[in-house]
Amino acid sequence: MMKRRPAVIVLAAGRGLRFLGEGHKLEQRMGGADLDPVASPAADSVLAHTLANAIATGLRVVVVTTQKLMPSVQPLIAACDVVAIADIDSQGRAAPIGMGYSIAAGVAAAGDANGWLILPADMPLLRPASILAVAAALDQFPVAYAQHHGRRGHPVGFSAELFSELIGLQGDEGARRVVARYPSQAVEVDDPGVLIDVDTVEDLARLQGQQGLARTS
């Protein structure tokens, strides 16, 4: 019988409030409009790059997102692997969208996986090999995470035994308490992408500059 493998849970439900540019940060182009005018904006977005790297691992990928971002997510991944969180509840109140809530929703959707790798959707440079290295560590540890030069990064992986803890998460704290409660293993990788995310317009500009240098080198 084929061994079950961990699933990658891509968190794309954040509001991106620190990004003060036009539009959502996950929809921004990585290469910059003047660097690759042929590529479609959706294919070159921050979200598209993150998903492409996750999909390249061969692991199942589940995206947790909002109704507003669904048009950007749908062309990139199968509908059965998308969890859409409502922006408002049945009584018209703001729905509880936080990292903990998103993790719980993603883990529940991939409940038959042999563990889960939590990956924020705004980390487009994280390499597939780094994701797989953390996945491999879950064979021996309940919690594992990528690090680069001793600095903790993503993804953070959880073994299947922590299912009940993960689906009970709420709020914006994420899984910090779960990580603190169980033995965890740092997986050192030669990949600065495990530390690089897009929170601000300045972050995006730096990435676009790096992409431009890569294209011309």
Side-chain angles (χ1 to χ4, degrees):
M1 184 172 63
M2 183 178 294
K3 179 182 176 182
R4 291 184 303 152
R5 306 175 74 193
V8 182
I9 309 300
V10 178
L11 305 181
R15 294 185 174 91
L17 298 179
R18 291 177 59 191
F19 188 85
L20 301 180
E22 184 177 346
H24 196 285
K25 65 178 183 178
L26 298 180
E27 298 174 315
Q28 304 301 311
R29 293 191 67 168
M30 282 278 292
D34 59 330
L35 295 176
D36 190 359
V38 177
S40 70
D44 191 38
S45 69
V46 171
L47 174 61
H49 282 265
T50 302
L51 282 179
N53 289 330
I55 292 169
T57 64
L59 302 174
R60 182 185 177 188
V61 178
V62 172
V63 181
V64 181
T65 190
T66 62
Q67 295 290 347
K68 290 181 179 178
L69 282 174
M70 280 293 288
S72 297
V73 173
Q74 288 174 325
L76 303 173
I77 196 165
C80 62
D81 289 323
V82 178
V83 179
I85 298 176
D87 297 310
I88 58 174
D89 63 19
S90 59
Q91 298 182 2
R93 299 171 300 189
I97 301 175
M99 183 174 289
Y101 188 85
S102 294
I103 292 172
V107 169
D112 59 346
N114 189 35
W116 304 273
L117 302 161
I118 309 304
L119 173 59
D122 63 354
M123 303 191 72
L125 302 186
L126 198 157
R127 300 170 188 165
S130 301
I131 300 173
L132 289 172
V134 176
L138 293 180
D139 288 339
Q140 299 180 346
F141 299 92
V143 179
Y145 56 88
Q147 72 173 23
H148 178 64
H149 290 174
R151 294 177 59 193
R152 180 177 296 201
H154 285 88
V156 180
F158 301 90
S159 66
E161 67 191 82
L162 301 182
F163 176 79
S164 60
E165 298 238 25
L166 295 173
I167 63 170
L169 293 174
Q170 298 179 8
D172 289 318
E173 186 177 8
R176 292 179 183 175
R177 292 185 183 180
V178 180
V179 173
R181 194 176 298 137
Y182 294 92
S184 60
Q185 175 66 23
V187 180
E188 182 70 29
V189 294
D190 185 18
D191 178 9
V194 306
L195 305 174
I196 299 172
D197 59 6
V198 179
D199 280 332
T200 66
V201 172
E202 291 75 19
D203 293 338
L204 179 64
R206 281 192 292 270
L207 290 184
Q208 289 174 337
Q210 292 173 16
Q211 292 290 98
L213 290 173
R215 291 174 190 271
T216 57
S217 62

